[in-house]
Amino acid sequence: MEQQSDQSTAGAPASVRAVRLPTQLTDLDLLIPYALIAEITDVALPDGSIQLGRSEATMVDWRGQRVPLVSLEAMNGEPVPTIGHRVRCAVLYGTDPERALPYYALLLSGVPRSEQIVASQMESAGPQDNPLWKAIVRTGGQLTAIPDIRALEERIDQMRLKQAEPTE
């Protein structure tokens, strides 16, 4: 049984089920492993508090929990998309057991698409200098950012903690 598992892993093409998240990042799609997506949903922003800034997270209620919601556009110095009181987001599972961040949410600007990505479909799009991206690749003619999940979580955790600081 164990030998069969080793053979199937060794002979399998390098592919991953992923979700292409629609954002308004300039000329760039975002690709997240499907296994990290907890839910695609709408959330209500707190009354009078739309703080999706470069260094701030907005805490929203999701399934009885408070989770930080961020805009990748704002985190990358681009304009924040126009938003209303209810926004669509992707809630992701936190991956770092050292961080008290079990879930976090990314603002979306459309409907996500599930895809099966094979490594041979990706071609390098050159060097990238953004610490939030593990790689920038071209898939199907589109520039696609593959985030460095740990760097993203670290930045969101810092934003969440900054938001939680008392303002007196």
Side-chain angles (χ1 to χ4, degrees), residues 31-83:
L31 204 58
I32 301 278
Y34 188 83
L36 291 182
I37 306 287
E39 185 175 26
I40 305 294
T41 189
D42 291 342
V43 294
L45 295 175
D47 289 333
S49 174
I50 300 177
Q51 299 176 0
L52 295 176
R54 188 175 175 93
S55 61
E56 299 167 327
T58 295
M59 298 303 290
V60 295
D61 290 319
W62 173 74
R63 296 192 178 266
Q65 303 180 63
R66 303 277 294 157
V67 299
L69 169 68
V70 298
S71 160
L72 288 171
E73 294 86 352
M75 289 174 73
N76 283 287
E78 296 184 20
V80 177
T82 302
I83 56 177

Side-chain angles (χ1 to χ4, degrees), residues 7-53:
Q7 286 176 347
S8 63
T9 304
S15 71
V16 66
R17 189 168 173 208
V19 178
R20 189 170 299 273
L21 297 179
T23 67
Q24 291 182 17
L25 290 165
T26 304
D27 300 323
L28 197 61
D29 284 346
L30 187 69
L31 204 58
I32 301 278
Y34 188 83
L36 291 182
I37 306 287
E39 185 175 26
I40 305 294
T41 189
D42 291 342
V43 294
L45 295 175
D47 289 333
S49 174
I50 300 177
Q51 299 176 0
L52 295 176

Side-chain angles (χ1 to χ4, degrees), residues 105-157:
L106 303 177
L107 180 67
L108 298 179
S109 295
V111 179
R113 294 187 325 257
S114 180
E115 301 179 11
Q116 189 72 20
I117 301 294
V118 178
S120 62
Q121 294 174 314
M122 295 187 230
E123 58 185 73
S124 176
Q128 59 85 27
D129 59 359
N130 186 327
L132 292 179
W133 309 145
K134 187 173 219 95
I136 301 289
V137 297
R138 192 171 300 278
T139 57
Q142 295 177 301
L143 279 181
T144 303
I146 299 172
D148 181 331
I149 296 297
R150 291 290 171 97
L152 182 62
E153 289 176 358
E154 179 180 343
R155 180 105 171 259
I156 292 170
D157 195 35

